Amino acid sequence: VFSSVTSVLNMSIFKDHFVLEDLIQELKRKSTALSFGPLQSNGHISVQGSFPAIKLLRDFLLLKEKSLPEEDKGEESEFHQRPRRRLQQHRLAMETSHFVHGAEGEKQVVVLDTDIYHYMKYFYPRTFLGNDGVVVSDVTDGDITTVNIENTGSRSNAEQVSRVKEKIENCSLKLHKVLRKERIYFEEESGDKKQRYKRACESLKPHHPLVLVIPYDTHIDVIGDSSEIFKFIMAVNK
């Protein structure tokens, strides 16, 4: 287990669309658990921190990269080493650092880890409640969920949109520091044993109110702080 890892980011692909210094400042605000080195003249910058935090940063930059026009993306971009996500129809949702102004009013976006999003949605549903003409929607693609905060009212309501965005970001950052996930796999289990696992999880949930249990066909995800999910899984196995 590595307590800290270092990665070198090549930010040069963004230089024609963003002020790199401003983009780095945005990354620092969103990734407070990471340490950033100085931005080099060639667009490279070193980042140090925990692997989950680096992974979230990587996914955020992938979404940023997908917002760029197709003709501006170089074939040598290291981001293309990963299969492209099916987010082409959601290009508008990739501008995470600015308002999008148009006929429908102001819009902002928050990119969340999907596990954290599920936990927030279940335990902190009011975080996603809009008011005064503000509507919150989401698009989930694998381990990334994009949350859209949009003003649908007749009058400009940029301040309220920003307030909802900030509330979601603050809650996400707090949970990111404490949440862990364990997975109970079913691949080699019989259908009857799968049902026993699911029934055990359902019966134990009232005794572990801060644990989120998400059943799937092939596994069960258990999300919560490390001590709680350890106790929960031990109880399920018994």
Side-chain angles (χ1 to χ4, degrees), residues 66-78:
K66 290 181 178 64
S67 72
L68 303 180
E70 287 291 336
E71 60 272 17
D72 294 331
K73 297 176 184 178
E75 290 298 324
E76 299 302 319
S77 170
E78 60 191 86

Side-chain angles (χ1 to χ4, degrees), residues 26 29-30 60 64 93-100 107-112 120 126-130 134-136 147-150 157-173:
E26 179 186 0
R29 290 194 300 270
K30 288 182 174 294
F60 173 75
K64 277 282 192 187
M94 303 311 158
E95 289 295 336
T96 60
S97 60
H98 303 286
F99 281 108
V100 179
K107 181 176 181 178
Q108 286 223 30
V109 169
V110 182
V111 180
L112 299 176
M120 290 173 62
R126 293 180 62 85
T127 307
F128 298 98
L129 291 181
V134 175
V135 174
V136 180
V147 179
N148 306 291
I149 308 106
E150 188 172 6
N157 205 355
E159 184 179 348
Q160 179 63 19
V161 171
S162 291
R163 191 176 298 120
V164 174
K165 177 177 182 284
E166 184 179 0
K167 183 170 61 172
I168 293 173
E169 287 180 332
N170 289 341
C171 184
S172 171
L173 286 173

Side-chain angles (χ1 to χ4, degrees), residues 189-196:
E189 305 292 354
S190 65
D192 181 61
K193 201 162 186 179
K194 290 181 185 180
Q195 293 303 317
R196 286 170 56 195

